[in-house]
Amino acid sequence: MSDRADRFTVVLDANVLASALGRNMLLSLAEAGLFRPRWSIESLDETERAISKIAGDPAVGKRHRNSIEAAFPEARVDGHQILIGAIKLKDPDDRHVVAAAIRTRAAIIVTENLKDFDANTLEALEIQCLGLDAFLADLIDMAGPEAVEALRQMRERFKAPEMTAEGLIRRVEAIGLVDTATLLEKYAAFL
């Protein structure tokens, strides 16, 4: 893992881990050392339930959760529960995400529920909240060739069916990651 990742900790909310392509992109970039992923046990529980619901099979959710935990055993945050009661958010069920960010001194929370995370609360804690598209686009823009290489390797792991660079860009765009897809088009020859 690169030195940069030692300084760049990111808490991933369950809703960005539930999507197969979003999860693959995030974890491929994390595996390349471009950031340190962190999540609460509550987020892993939510991710497992969401994947199970999408797949219509609890075993699929469990299998994906086990794979996530095996690949990133250091990413699970413990000891954050004591902080939850002091955090005020629109949706109290999201307090564990902020508590995990505080506990790990994360710079960023990546979530699709931006409206539920009060900007003033996060600003006071020096935590930025970004949607998946903004985070991925920023990371690819900052890391350039390193990020593109990680995503190329991810794309090449897809075997059923195989995926071209153009196919990956169109899938990224289709799931609403428009800024990310636009940026990846610039790197299509290397993707």
Side-chain angles (χ1 to χ4, degrees):
M1 192 169 285
S2 73
D3 289 339
R4 172 186 18 214
D6 290 338
R7 296 185 303 271
F8 189 42
T9 301
V10 177
V11 171
L12 303 176
D13 197 3
N15 55 43
V16 298
L17 290 170
S19 155
L21 184 55
R23 178 176 62 253
N24 273 300
M25 292 177 74
L26 284 166
L27 299 182
S28 294
L29 294 167
E31 184 177 53
L34 299 179
F35 71 97
R36 288 176 39 194
R38 296 292 183 260
W39 41 68
S40 66
I41 188 72
E42 296 90 343
S43 287
L44 286 177
D45 293 344
E46 289 175 30
T47 299
E48 181 180 344
R49 285 191 301 271
I51 293 170
S52 294
K53 183 176 179 180
I54 291 166
D57 183 355
V60 173
K62 185 66 169 168
R63 187 174 68 245
H64 282 284
R65 180 195 183 134
N66 289 342
S67 295
I68 291 167
E69 288 185 290
F72 297 94
E74 74 288 352
R76 183 175 147 184
V77 178
D78 291 311
H80 65 287
Q81 292 87 352
I82 195 165
L83 304 170
I84 292 174
I87 298 168
K88 305 295 182 219
L89 292 177
K90 292 177 187 173
D91 183 351
D93 290 341
D94 288 325
R95 295 179 300 171
H96 66 91
V97 178
V98 176
I102 294 167
R103 178 78 175 150
T104 60
R105 297 186 182 119
I108 295 173
I109 293 171
V110 181
T111 183
E112 292 299 357
N113 290 333
L114 295 172
K115 66 182 181 351
D116 290 340
F117 291 86
D118 180 58
N120 293 329
T121 299
L122 294 179
E123 186 178 317
L125 297 168
E126 297 181 354
I127 299 169
Q128 184 180 13
C129 200
L130 293 173
L132 180 59
D133 191 27
F135 177 73
L136 289 172
D138 285 353
L139 191 58
I140 294 165
D141 189 44
M142 287 188 309
E146 288 178 88
V148 173
E149 176 61 16
L151 295 175
R152 182 191 61 75
Q153 290 176 16
M154 176 202 75
R155 179 187 63 76
E156 289 178 348
R157 287 191 300 265
F158 295 147
K159 299 295 181 198
E162 289 186 14
M163 188 179 301
T164 64
E166 182 63 26
L168 175 62
I169 293 167
R170 297 291 69 90
R171 279 193 58 200
V172 167
E173 185 176 50
I175 65 168
L177 305 177
V178 177
D179 291 342
T180 302
T182 300
L183 189 57
L184 287 176
E185 286 175 345
K186 296 178 186 177
Y187 295 104
F190 306 102
L191 190 59

